[in-house]
Amino acid sequence: MTCFGSFSLAKWRLYTGRPDLTPTLVFETSAPVDVTLTEMAYHRVEKHAIGPVDVEPERTADGWLRYVIDYPSGLDAQVVAFTIVAGDQTVTIRNVSYGVDSADLPAPRDVRINIVTTTFRKERQVTGNIETLRSQLLEVAQWHDHFRLTVVDNGRTLPDSVNDETAGITVIPNGNVGGAGGFAAGMLHAMDAGWATHVLMMDDDVTVCPESFKRTVRLLTYASDEYAEAIIAGAMMSNANYELQQEDLGVIQPERYLQPLKPRLLMDREYDITINEEIMPSRNMVGVYSAWWYSCVPMTKIRANGLPIPLFYRRDDVEYGTRLQEHGTMRFMTLNGICVWHDTFDLRWNQAVEVYLSNRNLLIQQAFTPDPLNDINATVSYLQSLFDNEKHRFGYVAMELLCDAIDDYLRGPEYYEHPVGERLFMGEAAKAERLRPLSELEGAPDHVNMRVVEDAANDRNVPFEPPVEAPVAAVGAAAPVSLPRRAVRKLRRVALRLAGRPIAPTVAPVPAPVSEPLDDALGIIPIDGLCTPWRVMHRKRRILAVNPAGTMGVIRERDDARAAELTARFDALIAKLRADGADGGVAARYRAARSAMTTPEFWRAYLAEALKESL
C-alpha cells in the first residue's frame, strides 16, 4: 500500500468513465508466495483485507512463477493493494503491474507526448534527466512511439552530443528568455513538428521517475470523453524529504495568494496516500491551475489558446491556466505516482524573485488575463499589505523592489514586446539583499533554530495586544466595549465574505517614528516575510533577518527617512494603479495586446531577437 505500489481505483473509474472497472494484479516471483488483496477507503478511513488468494501461478519461459489475480467486483475504495508473505525460502519479486481487460475500457486514443524542459546552466541536473528518459523510455520499444524530448537550452551550454534524433532528443539553443520563453519555444517546436498530441512542460531542476510518464500515457490513452482533453498535473515531491508531497494542483485565492489545493501529505502513510486520491477540484471550480514542474497539456488547447505571455519567470503557468478556463471549465487529472522531486520553496527564497518578479508578474498576469475571483482593489490591498509588512521589518530593499515591480508593470505591454526580462531581473537582483553566513555578521549567533524563531517571532502564535489608551468617557456615558483584535479581524472577514467582497490580508498599522530611546539589542526574525513579528520589532534599532535554514542572514537597521521616501513613492504608484480604469489605460492595453503577443509569429520574432542579442 504505497504511492507507487497501489492502484488508484476510484481515480481510474472516474477518468475512464467505467464505474465498475476492476483491476487485475500481475506479478512474478522466484518461489511460491501467499497473497492477500487489500483496499483502503477514505470514507471509512481504514485498510481492509479483501481476503487471501488461492490462485495457481503459471510458469514463465525462464522458470519464474507468474500470478494473475483478479480483484473482486463491487469494491468501494480509493486505492487497492496487496500483501505478499514468503515461505521459508528467499523470494525475489519482479514485474509487478496492474492491468484491466481492454473490453472494460474506452477505445484507446493515440497519445504522443513531446516532453519540453527549459534549462539555464544546470547541465548536471538536466543531462541526468535526459539519460534517465533515454534509457527507460525513449530507447524502449514499448514506449518509444509515445515520447519525444525537447530541451530548450537558454544558456547554450549543453554539448552538441546531447542531440539524438534517433532517440527523439532535440536541443534548441535559445537566448535567456526565462521559463516562459523557454516553454514557448518548446511549444512552438512541437507545433511546427506536428507529431505530438500533447506537450508536457517539466522543470529542469527536478528528479524524475520514468513510471510517472508511463502512467501519464495510460491515463490519456483510456480517458473518457469528459477527460480526453484534461491537463495532467504531476505532483511536486520534496528533494529534502522524499515522501513529502507539496502540491499537485494550485488554486488562486481571492486575496491573490497561490495556494495548493491539498494540504502537504506524507506519501509513505496509507491515510495520506488515500486522501491524495480523494481530494479533487469540483467540476465547476475556477482558479485551479497546474504548475509547470510537470504539466501535460493537449496540443488542441495550445493551438486554440496560444502560447504563454512573455513574463520571463514566475506566474506564466498561472496565467496560462487561467486563460484555458476562459471558455469553460478545465478538467484536471492527478494520480498517485505521477510526480517529480523538487527543492522545497521555503529553501529557495530569492528576494528578487519573490518580491520583484512575483509581484510585477502578478499585475501583468491580471491585466493580460483577469482572474474572475479578483479585481484591482483586491490586488492593491494585497500589495499594500506586503509593503506595510516590509516597512515593519525594516525591509527597505524589498520596499524598493516592490515599487520597481509596479513601475515596470506601468511601462505597458509595448515594453515587453522585446526580450527585456533578463536585463530587468538582473538589475533587481543587483539591488537585492546579500545574505552572509551568520558567523560573519557582527553580534549574530553562529546558528539560529528557525523553528523556535518562527514560533516566538510570529504574533499570530501569541495572544498579544498592544497597549491602547482608553478614550475619556463623558460623564454618565457607558463604558466603551473593547473587543480583542482577533475577534475584530474575524468579524471583519465574516462581513466581507457575506458581502461577496475579496478579503485582503491585513497587517497592523505602521507605527509612527518612536520618540523614546531605541533598543540596541539585536532582534531576530525570518527573512521570508511570512510572519508578523511586531513584538520583536518594537523599538528595535537593528534586526537580523535569517534564511529558513538558520545559517545565513542580513542585518537591517531602522531608517525612518528612507521609509518615508519609499512610502511616498509607493503611495504615488498605488494612486496610478487605482486610477487606471479607463479605456486606453495600461491594463486595457495589456488585455488588447494578449492575442498578438501569444501567437507563433510573435514568439518567432521575440526568440530570434533574444538569441541574436545573446550571441
Side-chain angles (χ1 to χ4, degrees):
M1 186 73 72
T2 67
C3 178
F4 281 87
S6 57
F7 181 84
S8 300
L9 179 64
K11 285 272 187 77
W12 276 97
R13 286 175 172 174
L14 173 67
Y15 296 149
T16 62
R18 298 296 193 266
D20 296 327
L21 179 151
T22 55
T24 298
L25 173 66
V26 181
F27 64 94
E28 297 173 354
T29 62
S30 59
V33 294
D34 294 320
V35 183
T36 300
L37 300 182
T38 58
E39 61 175 330
M40 186 85 182
Y42 168 71
H43 50 82
R44 296 197 303 269
V45 195
E46 66 178 19
K47 180 179 177 181
H48 173 65
I50 298 171
V53 175
D54 184 16
V55 171
E56 288 297 321
E58 307 165 358
R59 282 282 178 183
T60 65
D62 57 355
W64 286 66
L65 299 177
R66 185 171 188 267
Y67 291 81
V68 180
I69 305 170
D70 294 324
Y71 280 81
S73 60
L75 293 180
D76 182 19
Q78 272 66 43
V79 294
V80 295
F82 59 94
T83 301
I84 292 178
V85 179
D88 295 335
Q89 56 184 312
T90 300
V91 174
T92 301
I93 307 171
R94 73 176 186 184
N95 297 341
V96 182
S97 64
Y98 294 94
V100 176
D101 192 306
S102 60
D104 297 333
L105 290 170
R109 302 178 187 277
D110 180 26
V111 176
R112 286 167 276 123
I113 300 175
N114 192 331
I115 304 169
V116 174
T117 187
T118 300
T119 187
F120 181 74
R121 298 177 183 174
K122 294 179 180 175
E123 298 85 353
R124 182 184 60 82
Q125 290 167 295
V126 76
T127 53
N129 287 337
I130 291 171
E131 290 310 309
T132 297
L133 296 176
R134 178 203 299 273
S135 62
Q136 300 193 45
L137 288 179
L138 300 172
E139 294 182 343
V140 176
Q142 182 181 6
W143 304 106
H144 173 76
D145 293 338
H146 291 291
F147 292 102
R148 288 184 182 175
L149 174 61
T150 301
V151 183
V152 182
D153 184 10
N154 283 351
R156 301 172 310 285
T157 55
L158 292 176
D160 294 338
S161 58
V162 175
N163 260 312
D164 189 342
E165 293 185 6
T166 303
I169 302 172
T170 302
V171 176
I172 301 176
N174 209 34
N176 187 16
V177 287
F183 285 125
M187 291 180 182
L188 190 59
H189 173 76
M191 293 173 70
D192 291 344
W195 173 84
T197 61
H198 294 75
V199 171
L200 195 162
M201 273 77 73
M202 184 180 75
D203 276 351
D204 60 339
D205 55 349
V206 297
T207 302
V208 301
C209 177
E211 176 68 17
S212 300
F213 300 90
K214 298 173 185 178
R215 295 186 184 200
T216 297
V217 166
R218 290 292 181 251
L219 262 183
L220 295 170
T221 300
Y222 295 107
S224 66
D225 290 343
E226 181 182 1
Y227 284 91
E229 293 200 336
I231 291 176
I232 293 185
M236 183 174 76
M237 310 293 286
S238 169
N239 267 333
N241 188 6
Y242 287 163
E243 65 272 20
L244 175 63
Q245 177 177 301
Q246 301 181 91
E247 180 181 323
D248 55 12
L249 285 171
V251 182
I252 309 171
Q253 298 298 309
E255 299 93 335
R256 302 308 298 154
Y257 289 121
L258 303 180
Q259 179 176 310
L261 177 69
K262 305 173 183 178
R264 289 187 174 186
L265 300 171
L266 293 173
M267 298 302 286
D268 60 348
R269 297 181 179 180
E270 293 174 347
Y271 176 80
D272 287 21
I273 292 166
T274 306
I275 196 174
N276 195 46
E277 301 300 62
E278 170 69 12
I279 301 176
M280 292 179 287
S282 62
R283 278 177 159 79
N284 60 353
M285 187 174 182
V286 297
V288 179
Y289 68 94
S290 169
W292 284 356
W293 51 70
Y294 189 112
S295 182
C296 189
V297 182
M299 281 298 304
T300 53
K301 296 292 184 184
I302 295 173
R303 294 185 186 279
N305 293 275
L307 300 172
I309 57 176
L311 287 178
F312 187 71
Y313 179 58
R314 277 298 169 94
R315 285 189 176 257
D316 46 347
D317 46 6
V318 179
E319 184 279 332
Y320 203 74
T322 305
R323 196 193 320 165
L324 291 181
Q325 297 174 72
E326 284 184 333
H327 305 295
T329 302
M330 190 71 212
R331 295 283 180 265
F332 295 91
M333 293 192 286
T334 61
L335 195 75
N336 282 347
I338 298 182
C339 58
V340 293
W341 280 261
H342 202 293
D343 289 343
T344 57
F345 288 139
D346 50 1
L347 295 179
R348 303 167 65 205
W349 172 258
N350 181 308
Q351 193 176 47
V353 172
E354 303 300 338
V355 179
Y356 170 75
L357 266 187
S358 291
N359 291 295
R360 185 202 70 182
N361 289 357
L362 181 155
L363 289 164
I364 295 176
Q365 168 218 332
Q366 177 66 15
F368 269 120
T369 307
D371 176 3
L373 298 180
N374 189 50
D375 59 21
I376 189 61
N377 291 324
T379 302
V380 165
S381 295
Y382 174 73
L383 295 173
Q384 185 74 60
S385 71
L386 294 179
F387 187 85
D388 289 347
N389 193 356
E390 293 296 347
K391 192 172 184 178
H392 267 294
R393 300 156 55 86
F394 308 162
Y396 308 122
V397 172
M399 293 161 66
E400 182 177 354
L401 296 183
L402 190 56
C403 289
D404 290 349
I406 301 172
D407 247 339
D408 286 346
Y409 158 75
L410 290 171
R411 293 174 184 266
E414 303 82 8
Y415 186 71
Y416 297 98
E417 291 176 354
H418 302 280
V420 297
E422 180 181 26
R423 177 172 57 81
L424 289 177
F425 176 68
M426 295 304 293
E428 298 303 308
K431 295 180 181 180
E433 292 176 317
R434 295 288 181 269
L435 301 188
R436 294 166 55 194
L438 298 186
S439 59
E440 298 179 6
L441 300 176
E442 182 182 355
D446 291 337
H447 184 272
V448 172
N449 186 330
M450 290 307 294
R451 181 183 295 274
V452 173
V453 168
E454 288 170 358
D455 286 344
N458 195 348
D459 288 353
R460 297 187 183 101
N461 298 331
V462 179
F464 169 77
E465 293 297 331
V468 178
E469 291 185 11
V472 178
V475 177
V481 178
S482 175
L483 290 174
R485 178 173 295 177
R486 291 185 176 183
V488 172
R489 285 202 301 262
K490 186 173 182 180
L491 289 172
R492 172 185 173 274
R493 295 178 71 88
V494 170
L496 288 174
R497 187 172 286 114
L498 291 175
R501 292 172 54 193
I503 304 167
T506 57
V507 297
V510 178
V514 295
S515 56
E516 54 189 303
L518 295 175
D519 181 0
D520 288 324
L522 190 66
I524 302 178
I525 64 172
I527 197 169
D528 55 19
L530 300 180
C531 78
T532 54
W534 313 145
R535 291 172 304 104
V536 174
M537 303 291 297
H538 184 57
R539 295 180 54 247
K540 289 293 183 185
R541 188 188 305 276
R542 301 164 67 244
I543 58 100
L544 171 65
V546 185
N547 73 341
T551 57
M552 306 277 285
V554 62
I555 290 180
R556 299 171 179 169
E557 295 195 14
R558 184 183 185 111
D559 187 340
D560 291 335
R562 190 177 182 198
E565 176 186 351
L566 289 167
T567 300
R569 180 188 175 196
F570 180 81
D571 290 345
L573 290 168
I574 288 296
K576 289 182 180 180
L577 286 181
R578 290 190 182 278
D580 184 49
D583 293 340
V586 176
R589 300 206 314 272
Y590 275 109
R591 181 65 174 162
R594 192 188 74 180
S595 59
M597 293 178 69
T598 56
T599 61
E601 293 73 24
F602 168 83
W603 274 104
R604 289 186 213 282
Y606 186 96
L607 294 171
E609 182 180 349
L611 184 58
K612 182 180 179 180
E613 289 180 356
S614 63
L615 295 177

